[in-house]
Amino acid sequence: MLLEMTIAGVIIAALILYALLGGADYGGGVWDLFAFGRRAPEQRALIAKAIGPVWEANHVWLILVIVILFTAFPPAFAAISTALHIPLTLLLIGIVLRGTTFTFRTYDLQRDDVQRRWSLIFSIASIITPVLLGIALGAIASGTIRTERGIVISGFFNSWLAPFPFAVGFFALSLFAFLAAVYLTLETPDHELQEDFRLRALIAGAAVAVLAWIVFLLTGTGAPAVRAGISRSWWALALHLFTAAFAGGAFYSLLTRKYRLARVCAAAQVTLILLGWALAQFPHLVEPDITIASAAAPPITLQLLLGALVAGAIVLFPSYYYLFRIFKGETAFTALSEKRVSMDAEK
């Protein structure tokens, strides 16, 4: 039992890292669409510079989730990929469109009409994809994916075409936009650009609060097991208090322009939200028929997988640190600052 719980914990950890890193990349696409004013070109340049070196690497966490799920818990993978075949297929299309258009925008002709076309597709894909990801997570928690002897009997539409999964989808979008705006305040030394994204972070944070309340209300009928978990479990009060404290800390830090503290608080807030969802659903992988224990692969498979994860972590984490150290260190701001000085001089 300990072995499968450990591996399930790795799935949650990978999902959290994907939200904190890859999710912020999606949020960057949201703000690319809503760039406006005389600094719009500089806002888009900052977004591109921030996500350009790391967006491909950040998908490693989603890939890890999928690989662990079909290796360690194949019945859960089969149920999810069958019942949610349509939103998951659209999700993958969105990921591909987003990546390709981001690349084409960088290397295609720099004419305004060409850049607007690629930017529009990139932004739309960046909005739709996290909504679909949230829809999938909401459907998994809703208890409407039903299986019988390993066969999905609830169909292809019932589990996700409902208010609760869509509310979770828009909640995920608002969280990612919030993270992106907070992170972007630290991606530039330019005070005006910092102010632009500080305002966006405050707006997105307010949207997060409203949508969190809507999701909570909809759990009463849309995900009753999750509602019970986050309302009546022994850990629920502490979770809500800490989440609220970090959310308040993020707002306070943005209002007082303490951006590094805002980043820590925003990341902690998102982490606690995902942990709360996982704890509320425990021990189910898919509500209500598939648990961690019932879906676990044979012990030898889990042992080999855990060994592979340890070996992979030895390579992955130093590489990841090196990637961020190179592209997210203080020297990463130099090129953008020089570009801004050059633009001001031309004016």
Side-chain angles (χ1 to χ4, degrees):
M1 188 68 175
L2 178 61
L3 189 57
E4 50 260 42
M5 292 298 173
T6 301
I7 293 176
V10 174
I11 291 179
I12 297 303
L15 272 176
I16 291 171
L17 287 170
Y18 186 62
L20 294 178
L21 300 170
D25 293 342
Y26 291 118
V30 174
W31 299 125
D32 189 276
L33 179 64
F34 292 108
F36 63 89
R38 65 182 179 84
R39 291 188 297 277
E42 294 169 89
Q43 292 167 6
R44 291 194 174 99
L46 176 62
I47 292 167
K49 183 173 180 59
I51 70 176
V54 297
W55 70 269
E56 289 178 291
N58 288 336
H59 282 300
V60 71
W61 306 113
L62 181 61
I63 295 168
L64 183 62
V65 169
I66 295 170
V67 171
I68 295 176
L69 191 62
F70 75 65
T71 304
F73 307 104
F77 177 82
I80 292 170
S81 59
T82 301
L84 303 178
H85 176 74
I86 294 172
L88 291 178
T89 299
L90 294 174
L91 170 70
L92 292 175
I93 292 172
I95 291 172
V96 172
L97 274 177
R98 182 175 169 276
T100 52
T101 53
F102 182 76
T103 303
F104 291 159
R105 185 178 70 172
T106 302
Y107 295 104
D108 203 350
L109 297 174
Q110 298 302 302
R111 294 200 321 262
D112 286 348
D113 60 328
V114 174
Q115 291 296 299
R116 281 196 299 268
R117 178 184 65 203
W118 293 128
S119 293
L120 181 61
I121 300 173
F122 168 70
S123 297
I124 291 174
S126 296
I127 291 172
I128 293 176
T129 305
V131 171
L132 290 167
L133 180 61
I135 286 172
L137 293 179
I140 291 169
S142 67
T144 55
I145 299 178
R146 302 307 307 268
T147 61
E148 193 173 282
R149 293 189 294 273
I151 305 297
V152 174
I153 60 173
S154 51
F156 294 104
F157 300 98
N158 292 340
S159 58
W160 62 276
L161 282 180
F164 176 71
F166 272 84
V168 176
F170 286 107
F171 181 51
L173 177 63
S174 66
L175 278 175
F176 293 171
F178 175 60
L179 281 175
V182 172
Y183 291 178
L184 284 165
T185 61
L186 285 167
E187 291 288 340
T188 175
D190 186 289
H191 177 71
E192 290 182 335
L193 286 175
Q194 286 180 336
E195 287 296 305
D196 289 341
F197 288 105
R198 184 179 77 96
L199 177 61
R200 286 162 171 78
L202 290 169
I203 293 171
V208 168
V210 172
L211 286 165
W213 183 245
I214 292 173
V215 169
F216 179 76
L217 292 177
L218 288 174
T219 55
T221 55
V226 171
R227 175 66 170 270
I230 60 177
S231 301
R232 298 193 290 272
S233 298
W234 61 267
W235 47 263
L237 179 60
L239 177 80
H240 293 315
L241 289 176
F242 276 104
T243 304
F246 281 117
F251 268 88
Y252 168 78
S253 303
L254 288 167
L255 290 172
T256 56
R257 296 172 176 81
K258 297 177 181 178
Y259 298 127
R260 293 188 184 279
L261 180 59
R263 179 171 61 183
V264 171
C265 289
Q269 178 188 353
V270 173
T271 298
L272 288 175
I273 289 170
L274 288 172
L275 280 177
W277 160 68
L279 289 172
Q281 192 171 311
F282 181 82
H284 291 88
L285 287 170
V286 182
E287 286 279 358
D289 297 326
I290 302 176
T291 65
I292 294 171
S294 68
I300 184 60
T301 302
L302 299 180
Q303 292 166 8
L304 290 171
L305 175 61
L306 187 60
L309 289 172
V310 171
I314 293 172
V315 176
L316 175 61
F317 284 104
S319 302
Y320 221 79
Y321 170 79
Y322 188 63
L323 174 70
F324 273 75
R325 185 71 183 87
I326 292 297
F327 291 105
K328 296 299 180 180
E330 295 297 327
T331 56
F333 302 140
T334 304
L336 185 65
S337 300
E338 291 177 350
K339 182 178 179 180
R340 174 64 188 273
V341 170
S342 175
M343 292 173 66
D344 289 343
E346 290 176 1
K347 293 176 182 178

